[in-house]
Amino acid sequence: DSGVTQTPKHLITATGQRVTLRCSPRSGDLSVYWYQQSLDQGLQFLIQYYNGEERAKGNILERFSAQQFPDLHSELNLSSLELGDSALYFCASSGRDRGTPDTQYFGPGTRLTVL
Amino acid sequence: GQSLEQPSEVTAVEGAIVQINCTYQTSGFYGLSWYQQHDGGAPTFLSYNALDGLEETGRFSSFLSRSDSYGYLLLQELQMKDSASYFCAVRNYGQNFVFGPGTRLSVLP
């Protein structure tokens, strides 16, 4: 158990809809990362937040947005969903272990299916 | 841009040693990380090289050579449970994390 929690575990929705994925980082971690992993694909970095502020932005679509709240949990909002958005979405956190700031701890993921 | 390359598949037998290579093209990065992911599971951290050279963690070792734009993960005394996908990753100077496409390791009895 990495200590990172994600909800929901599974999400099935229709094209055009909007969903929100939630992530709680490990206790003490200030950084939260979001990744997308399509079937048999690698991990695509979407966005990173550090202590409530956006730190880095990767290949995140304009239809997607994220935020990190004062209690450090984060939400990823996906809107105008398309079939191609079906994927596993992982959240990861880091930062508590000062000696290895790049070590990320991944949550179990949210499997999104867009029908 | 930045890209990392890995072999798509590697097969080895139980008890053997296997090396998974990672070559990269990136203008600059802080260090090379390795993650393991079992089917249906989340990636888990294995090893990190901030500097050139070898880092050893139990049965797993990782190597980095910045001058050769190359790194590898070495798995010794392979076990069936090591069958998984392995990803190399870097954090570039733009603070973005870039993951390689992953190498699927199959360990045969």
Side-chain angles (χ1 to χ4, degrees), chain A residues 33 37 45 57 102 104 107, chain B residues 35 37 42-43 91 95-97:
Chain A
Y33 313 80
Q37 186 174 39
F45 169 70
K57 199 174 233 184
D102 280 357
Q104 296 181 48
Chain B
Y35 289 82
Q37 185 180 28
R91 178 167 65 96
Q95 302 297 327
N96 286 4
F97 278 89

Side-chain angles (χ1 to χ4, degrees), chain B residues 2-3 8 10 14 17 20 39-40 43-44 49 51 53 94-95 100 108:
Chain B
Q2 297 89 28
S3 67
S8 58
V10 172
E14 229 176 342
I17 299 173
I20 298 174
D39 285 347
T44 56
N49 292 74
L51 305 173
Q95 302 297 327
L108 305 178

Side-chain angles (χ1 to χ4, degrees), chain B residues 4-86:
Chain B
L4 293 89
E5 295 182 4
Q6 302 179 236
S8 58
E9 294 182 4
V10 172
T11 301
V13 296
E14 229 176 342
I17 299 173
V18 71
Q19 178 174 312
I20 298 174
N21 298 326
C22 175
T23 57
Y24 56 85
Q25 294 182 2
T26 179
S27 54
F29 63 95
Y30 292 99
L32 183 70
S33 302
W34 288 92
Y35 289 82
Q36 178 193 61
Q37 185 180 28
H38 287 97
D39 285 347
T44 56
F45 172 78
L46 290 178
S47 188
Y48 176 72
N49 292 74
L51 305 173
D52 283 7
L54 192 68
E55 291 286 337
E56 296 180 83
T57 311
R59 294 188 297 115
F60 296 169
S61 303
S62 58
F63 174 83
L64 174 62
S65 169
R66 290 178 185 266
S67 59
D68 295 324
S69 299
Y70 165 72
Y72 66 72
L73 178 70
L74 192 73
L75 298 85
Q76 303 182 71
E77 300 172 20
L78 280 175
Q79 302 175 10
M80 298 296 290
K81 67 178 183 179
D82 297 329
S83 292
S85 291
Y86 293 83

Side-chain angles (χ1 to χ4, degrees), chain A residues 33-38 41-47 57-60 64 76 87-90 106, chain B residues 2 87 97-101:
Chain A
Y33 313 80
W34 286 98
Y35 292 88
Q36 180 192 57
Q37 186 174 39
S38 301
Q41 296 292 311
L43 289 151
Q44 297 295 319
F45 169 70
L46 297 178
I47 198 164
K57 199 174 233 184
N59 300 319
I60 187 166
F64 296 0
L76 178 67
L88 256 176
Y89 290 84
F90 286 106
F106 283 78
Chain B
Q2 297 89 28
F87 296 90
F97 278 89
V98 180
F99 277 72

Side-chain angles (χ1 to χ4, degrees), chain A:
Chain A
D1 184 2
S2 66
V4 178
T5 60
Q6 287 187 249
T7 57
K9 194 169 184 178
H10 300 278
L11 198 50
I12 301 175
T13 188
T15 54
Q17 295 298 304
R18 172 191 169 94
V19 297
T20 297
L21 313 184
R22 182 188 169 102
C23 168
S24 292
R26 286 191 321 161
S27 176
D29 282 351
L30 299 179
S31 281
V32 169
Y33 313 80
W34 286 98
Y35 292 88
Q36 180 192 57
Q37 186 174 39
S38 301
L39 192 62
D40 292 331
Q41 296 292 311
L43 289 151
Q44 297 295 319
F45 169 70
L46 297 178
I47 198 164
Q48 178 199 355
Y49 279 83
Y50 176 82
N51 203 20
E53 301 285 331
E54 182 183 304
R55 169 67 71 88
K57 199 174 233 184
N59 300 319
I60 187 166
L61 299 171
E62 285 192 10
R63 301 184 284 110
F64 296 0
S65 65
Q67 54 184 328
Q68 186 180 27
F69 295 87
D71 66 353
L72 300 178
H73 91 271
S74 177
E75 292 181 356
L76 178 67
N77 300 295
L78 315 176
S79 62
S80 302
L81 284 168
E82 302 175 358
L83 295 177
D85 298 328
S86 295
L88 256 176
Y89 290 84
F90 286 106
C91 165
S93 72
S94 73
R96 183 177 78 192
D97 308 313
R98 292 176 186 268
T100 55
D102 280 357
T103 300
Q104 296 181 48
Y105 296 86
F106 283 78
T110 293
R111 182 171 293 282
L112 173 67
T113 302
V114 182
L115 301 176

